[in-house]
Amino acid sequence: SDNMSEALNREAFRQAVVNTLERRLFYIPSFKIYRGVAGLYDYGPPGCAVKSNVLAYWRQHFVLEENMLEVDCPCVTPEVVLKASGHVDKFTDLMVKDEKTGNCFRADHLLKDFCKDKLEREPNLDPKKQAELRHVLAVLDDLSAEELGAKLKEYAITAPDTKNPLSDPYPFNLMFQTSIGPSGTLPGYMRPETAQGIFVNFKDLYYYNGSKLPFAAAQIGQAFRNEISPRQGLLRVREFTLAEIEHFVDPEDKSHPKFTEVANLEFLMFPREDQVSGESARKIPIGQAVAQGIVNNETLGYFIGRVYLFLTNLGIDRDRLRFRQHLANEMAHYAADCWDAEIECSFGWIECVGIADRSAYDLRAHTDKSGVALVAHEKLPEPIEVEKLVIAPVKKELGLAFKGNQRMIVEALESMDEKEALELKATLESKGEAEFKVCTLDKVVTIKSNMVTISKETKKEHQKVFTPSVIEPSFGIGRIIYCLYEHSFYTRPSRDGDEQLNVFRFPPLVAPIKCTVFPLVQNQQYEDVAKQIARSLTAAGISHKIDITGTSIGKRYARTDELGVPFAITVDSTTSVTVRERDSKQQIRVNVDEVATVIKEVTEGLSTWGDVLWKYPTHTA
Amino acid sequence: SDNMSEALNREAFRQAVVNTLERRLFYIPSFKIYRGVAGLYDYGPPGCAVKSNVLAYWRQHFVLEENMLEVDCPCVTPEVVLKASGHVDKFTDLMVKDEKTGNCFRADHLLKDFCKDKLEREPNLDPKKQAELRHVLAVLDDLSAEELGAKLKEYAITAPDTKNPLSDPYPFNLMFQTSIGPSGTLPGYMRPETAQGIFVNFKDLYYYNGSKLPFAAAQIGQAFRNEISPRQGLLRVREFTLAEIEHFVDPEDKSHPKFTEVANLEFLMFPREDQVSGESARKIPIGQAVAQGIVNNETLGYFIGRVYLFLTNLGIDRDRLRFRQHLANEMAHYAADCWDAEIECSFGWIECVGIADRSAYDLRAHTDKSGVALVAHEKLPEPIEVEKLVIAPVKKELGLAFKGNQRMIVEALESMDEKEALELKATLESKGEAEFKVCTLDKVVTIKSNMVTISKETKKEHQKVFTPSVIEPSFGIGRIIYCLYEHSFYTRPSRDGDEQLNVFRFPPLVAPIKCTVFPLVQNQQYEDVAKQIARSLTAAGISHKIDITGTSIGKRYARTDELGVPFAITVDSTTSVTVRERDSKQQIRVNVDEVATVIKEVTEGLSTWGDVLWKYPTHTA
């Protein structure tokens, strides 16, 4: 069928890309001499350079351009933080075990494989059955442990390798667990995302920003997920680099001062309604999407536009990039809106950036757990009268009853929300005492009616106190880079037509090496000129490589095309040299003492290749 | 005493630095709202910018300048790798436990505290006793568990807080342990250093380098040590950034082509002999140190010189930087030579960079454990005759006896060194069979004499095959940054003399923000000019900050001096502005449309402040 041959083509294309990537050390399976570990990869020299270029551009495009507050927090995280964020309880995948060998599998993977396989291999299957399997595939992500288990039983699915029976599905927490300090009493995890490090610092960062909203904090760093059985090669790994932005904003004003700068950008969007009604993604100017309420607010829209610019400037193909809105059932209950930047590659449409309006959820969760109020204050234009609940702990009584714990209990009483406080008040009035949970002590204490007074008072307020909303663009750097490799890869015949040569068409911004220097033949004069040019490139901060092997110039070009090096300087005289552009293979002649400047201009985007082609004589080999 | 008052001064100075660092968010104790975790710190916005500047300069100074192969490997590491490197067995500190509360302490810390305390508090102590305590302090690092235990008993040392009795000292492994994958059968650790990721990739990297020596690989990344009880604040932490270089070189030729470029550098060196004979560090040109054999070889000397340049260019005070050679008892048995770059700060002389010639140890260890030969090949000028041991496994017999394990056993037999092979040969000849340990299978098998032939043959060799030596400069980035803070910090009186103001004298290279822009008074015209300047600074890639608060200009200068911002632009007209240098407080007048260029020149080191002071009119406030 067409589907099958397309799948085979995709598979062959991917193999060609991955072979090139591994042969040229863009990636190396980690610990390869020890047979490796699934889901762990090294970046070899060119991959490491690409990554460092992508991160430098991310910093330039987001952090510097928007004056974000960048922070750098540890990977090792104590349990309490991830308990508050919900990861300890909910960051799980459903797993089944081979009942004889103990091998583990993701329950949804097995069901998915079964359905896909059946649909592909049995084209004459009863249409009703086909529809059923398609339905299972569509709702796969929503199935509960029980529902998944029932389906596995119904289809008699067994362990893929051994055909042994499987256990019922049960949740497996995806965090790498460890223990902090020598006593074994302080459990910790390797962080599953970098965002929590920013949330817990909200108070300090807000103060650092002059106690003004909006502002954004950003973090680049490693994150970890102990996947049950990593598949999809470089896209699903157990350790990866995230770049995350947490933009804090007044929930009542999510406008963005620079929104007009992106409003006219037009790119593929895939709103929720279009997905439900079976339509395709379509081009919508982001200004219109916000005006029509398709995108919830300007700030979210601004970041969608900025992400579009970031990805396409890196070299992601705009026709294989779309912004897909989360369906209602995909989105967390607290989220106001959520869009994924999805990039199409040989594995299908892959989520590479998530852009979510998480409302006040995260700051509230840490306020509740820590007892430290993560809130913003804003002076009101004029004071207003409000009826307010006043909680006044009686410190003396609490001190007598609870000694050293007094402060924690006072803080816990003061941080009750209105509902809790009114319930406590009612219980104290009816029973004279009440059980009270103190999270920071992790225990329940008995509060008597003489220990706290709770009353409603009318007060004049001069400022509004509120929990900011968080708008979070979160970038999976490794996934973006992998998709970039696929979008940049092509092959073309060698000069004599007897083989296909690989090329990565990286823009200079991304290219691991900007320029190579080749003496045309092995002689001392040319080598000296090459070294002189190399020194001037170093001084100009242009990464480059000299190749003084006697290999044919064609082979040397082919080797560097495969690394995506955009420019090659060939030293074929002592006064002027040829500069070759990778994709057009056009060549120009430039004086030796000018060449570093020319390369700097075209790699830093001050001139295009077209500009210099116009300015310098062309060269025909 | 003088010692005591000096100690108090140091303590007060440190408090002033650390208070400023924490108040301005260079550092934040991690997870502060949850009371933090000892030994974990965040870099806040200015700290994060300093770190990223230091790392960018490291990449420029080492990786780009020397064409090193940079790699990026995961933190999660399977046990087998760290078993081979020796970390699973030997990366330990001796620990004692409070026998009642279970609290843990480093045994050497308790003994050290006891001795120091006694010497300080009892100046009239018997001189013999004083000498004994000083001797204990001198040999502290060399004491075995038994010796440490005996001393703790002899001095009746108890738990510091509770005075409870202590357990005997026992080794505690400092790696954070975890488990990879869901089955719980693959133990892993968070890497204690980044070097191992490079060693296991030696074969690929050597091939990538055209199978030529010498070459260097480099890695920047997180490393982890689960310290028993972290002290010394920011200097001893549980997670930190390392930048490591592994320079692979022919053990018979450790010369370095660029050594002459550093040979005349002269700085404080502290050779082993001088330490033993009680002398002080002295200035020696590095060329002389290598020529006289004080430093083992040119390559080691070259890196020592490059490290000196790196640290002093960052702003480390050359008079409080020394290179100390390891004493014989400090050095691993396999190391050929080892020097630490030590920086003096309020905690004393702190090891910040280790520069070690580790000989062939690491590559051999991984060759032995993995069965993959991590060796280099070099074509000989003419072939030589050598007597060579030939190990010929009989695959058929091994296959019959060991089935699927055959390949592993063949590899293990082939990778025996000469001594092992001759022993096996002898045993096979005398007993007809022998026990043989196969590391990759983790089991012992019985080899019969028909399964392998081992013989000595005379062969013509065309190439030399050898394990390269490794020269490893390893940088503790966080420690370097902390020492830089201490070396950069000073105070000076405010204009009206009523308070002391803090200043960090960071060079522009390191400064978290290069420039601030202040409209002198709050008006629309000046603000517009400030924004125009800000845009041109962004375009020039200069990190900057606008401060449009109405605060007095003096206060705004003080705030940015405390962040170490080297230049401030004050907008006091719409055509020209004043530029102020932080340390001299000198001001010049520059046209609005020129100012970004001037700032770019002085921050990127193309001009000095002296140059522009000469070129532009000075301004007196």
Side-chain angles (χ1 to χ4, degrees), chain A residues 51 72 177-178 181 204 226, chain B residues 32 51 72 177-178 181 226:
Chain A
K51 182 180 174 189
D72 182 7
Q177 193 172 2
T178 190
D204 281 340
N226 196 9
Chain B
K32 204 168 93 177
K51 183 180 174 190
D72 182 6
Q177 193 173 359
T178 190
N226 195 9

Side-chain angles (χ1 to χ4, degrees), chain A residues 30 32 34-35 42-43 45 51 70-72 74-76 177-179 181 190 201 204 226 239 366 408, chain B residues 30-32 34-35 42-43 45 51 70-72 74-76 177-179 181 190 201 204 226 239 366 407:
Chain A
S30 301
K32 201 168 93 174
Y34 293 104
R35 275 138 236 266
D42 299 343
Y43 290 80
K51 182 180 174 189
E70 191 179 347
V71 301
D72 182 7
C75 300
V76 174
Q177 193 172 2
T178 190
S179 176
M190 303 312 297
N201 281 326
D204 281 340
N226 196 9
E239 182 176 339
H366 287 295
M408 315 274 274
Chain B
S30 301
F31 318 113
K32 204 168 93 177
Y34 293 103
R35 275 137 236 266
D42 299 342
Y43 291 80
K51 183 180 174 190
E70 192 178 348
V71 300
D72 182 6
C75 301
V76 174
Q177 193 173 359
T178 190
S179 177
M190 302 311 298
N201 281 326
D204 281 339
N226 195 9
E239 181 175 339
H366 287 295
R407 194 171 59 84

Side-chain angles (χ1 to χ4, degrees), chain A residues 169-191:
Chain A
Y170 61 95
F172 171 75
N173 194 298
L174 297 177
M175 292 193 291
F176 284 99
Q177 193 172 2
T178 190
S179 176
I180 306 173
S183 68
T185 55
L186 183 57
Y189 300 90
M190 303 312 297
R191 63 180 176 192

